[in-house]
Amino acid sequence: LATIQVIEENNLLDNAAHLGEAIVRELNSLIGQYEFLKEVRGKGLMIAIEFGAPKSFSLKTAWNLLETANKGLFCQMVTIPLFAHHGILTQVAGHGMNVVKILAPLVITEKDKDLIVRSFDSVIADCHKVPGSIWDLGKTLAGHALKSGKS
């Protein structure tokens, strides 16, 4: 009962709805900038960011390398730097899926929302730099995926 009381007194459900909509809207506004980014959707602070094959040759080649090694591997190139460099914990939505999910706490603030959006923008921008440091991570991940597939 105390938990419900805190949720109601602090208007946490309205906060979740408001900030969740803002995160989805702001991340969706990045779709035109980034070929990998396909769709952002959510309900409250449960948010899914979907990635897909790009159109340009160099990015498509890099994407296909990862997808051949292990379907959905691209998302690890997003989740690892989000956590390591920005302190944002995310998760791949499921095996073989190119969807990253955010399950943010109900108590996030505008400042937290801005950090989430800036961090995704930064990491996705890095994913578009081929070759680049993030693609070194991708090659490492692909190598491990291929080795484990042979075992």
Side-chain angles (χ1 to χ4, degrees):
L1 292 175
T3 301
I4 293 171
Q5 183 178 353
V6 169
I7 290 171
E8 289 175 352
E9 286 176 359
N10 293 294
N11 223 6
L12 295 182
L13 296 181
D14 289 340
N15 183 61
H18 168 72
L19 291 177
E21 287 173 10
I23 291 169
V24 169
R25 182 179 57 253
E26 290 179 32
L27 289 177
N28 265 319
S29 73
L30 300 175
I31 290 174
Q33 291 177 259
Y34 301 118
E35 291 183 54
F36 289 119
L37 187 58
K38 298 302 177 193
E39 181 184 14
V40 182
R41 55 190 178 273
K43 177 88 172 156
L45 289 168
M46 297 183 296
I47 300 168
I49 300 94
E50 185 170 352
F51 298 93
K55 290 184 172 58
S56 66
F57 180 75
S58 65
L59 292 177
K60 185 183 273 189
T61 302
W63 171 272
N64 288 336
L65 169 73
L66 290 177
E67 288 297 292
T68 300
N70 192 335
K71 185 157 176 44
L73 194 58
F74 176 83
C75 286
Q76 295 301 327
M77 287 182 27
V78 174
T79 61
I80 292 170
L82 276 172
F83 184 68
H85 304 298
H86 302 279
I88 296 175
L89 183 60
T90 58
Q91 186 178 28
V92 178
H95 181 70
M97 296 180 72
N98 287 305
V99 178
V100 171
K101 63 183 177 180
I102 303 172
L103 300 170
L106 296 177
V107 296
I108 72 166
T109 64
E110 285 281 336
K111 185 177 174 183
D112 297 325
K113 182 237 352 150
D114 292 341
L115 173 67
I116 290 168
V117 173
R118 273 194 324 271
S119 298
F120 264 93
D121 188 9
S122 172
V123 169
I124 296 168
D126 287 345
C127 289
H128 281 73
K129 296 175 186 168
V130 177
S133 61
I134 200 146
W135 285 98
D136 290 339
L137 170 63
K139 286 192 300 188
T140 301
L141 292 172
H144 289 300
L146 291 171
K147 284 179 190 174
S148 69
K150 292 178 184 176
S151 308

